[in-house]
């Protein structure tokens, strides 16, 4: 029997991406993001989620896509990785797909670099880059972010 996995799909600069659904807490429309001094460059700032501060990462910046003004139509995906709670600013959330683990290609099947991806899937003739949240921030970025958040949460 094939092992099925579910993925939340989203777009950033016309690139289709996905996250494993169990890592997704919820999706909200873009809100005001409060700047976070001394945060890594990829972190836009923080938002308040029911009294708890959560950092917001700029997926465009991580992928080196051109910057764009944040719009009320943009989405924030609130995720929980094994390391921390993180919010990802994306252009649009497109839905949920299901794929067999056998259908997923490893990242290096198409791309030579080791980035923040877990693999690659196809859906309706589109290539979808599956993100690995444990690789989204580097160890250095995690340390810098922890230091920046320490001053806010006290």
């Amino acid at each position: 029997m094939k092992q099925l996995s579910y993925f939340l799909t989203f777009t950033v600069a016309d690139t289709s991406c996905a996250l494993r659904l169990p890592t997704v807490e919820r999706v909200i429309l873009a809100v005001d993001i409060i700047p976070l001094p001394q945060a890594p460059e990829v972190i836009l700032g923080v938002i308040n989620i029911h009294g708890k501060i959560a950092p917001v990462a700029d997926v465009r910046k991580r992928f080196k896509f051109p910057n764009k003004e944040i719009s009320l139509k943009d989405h924030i995906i609130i995720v929980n990785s094994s390391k921390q709670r993180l919010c990802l600013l994306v252009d649009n959330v497109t839905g949920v797909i299901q794929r067999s683990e056998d259908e997923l290609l490893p990242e290096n099947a198409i791309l030579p670099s080791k980035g923040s991806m877990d693999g690659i899937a196809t859906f309706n003739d589109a290539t979808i880059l599956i993100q690995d949240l444990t690789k989204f921030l580097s160890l250095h970025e995690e340390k810098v972010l922890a230091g920046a958040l320490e001053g806010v949460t006290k």
Side-chain angles (χ1 to χ4, degrees):
M1 181 187 242
K2 291 182 181 180
Q3 181 183 352
L4 295 177
S5 295
Y6 294 86
F7 300 90
L8 178 76
T9 58
F10 59 94
T11 58
V12 178
D14 297 325
T15 299
S16 295
C17 300
L19 293 166
R20 289 183 182 274
L21 196 56
T23 64
V24 177
E25 183 179 314
R26 76 179 111 167
V27 177
I28 61 174
L29 289 173
V31 296
D32 279 337
I33 298 170
I34 302 163
L36 181 62
Q38 284 110 37
E41 186 178 350
V42 72
I43 301 297
L44 290 169
V46 294
I47 60 173
N48 183 328
I49 304 170
H50 301 293
K52 294 188 179 182
I53 299 298
V56 179
D58 186 348
V59 178
R60 284 178 165 274
K61 197 169 280 190
R62 171 59 63 216
F63 295 159
K64 298 181 176 29
F65 291 146
N67 289 336
K68 83 170 187 78
E69 187 99 8
I70 297 174
S71 158
L72 292 177
K73 294 179 183 178
D74 292 339
H75 288 86
I76 294 176
I77 304 172
I78 304 167
V79 295
N80 285 303
S81 75
S82 59
K83 296 180 180 181
Q84 67 183 15
R85 186 184 214 189
L86 185 66
C87 301
L88 305 177
L89 179 66
V90 302
D91 295 349
N92 191 26
V93 171
T94 52
V96 175
I97 62 169
Q98 153 186 315
R99 283 284 163 273
S100 162
E101 288 292 325
D102 297 343
E103 294 176 281
L104 304 180
L105 296 172
E107 172 192 8
N108 60 6
I110 296 176
L111 304 169
S113 67
K114 289 287 182 197
S116 62
M117 290 198 321
D118 185 19
I120 299 165
T122 57
F123 184 73
N124 292 341
D125 296 326
T127 300
I128 300 171
L129 308 177
I130 301 168
Q131 301 304 304
D132 182 346
L133 292 175
T134 63
K135 299 178 192 173
F136 193 81
L137 296 177
S138 70
L139 290 175
H140 175 72
E141 288 170 331
E142 286 177 17
K143 280 185 177 181
V144 171
L145 177 58
L149 286 171
E150 194 173 291
V152 174
T153 57
K154 284 188 176 182

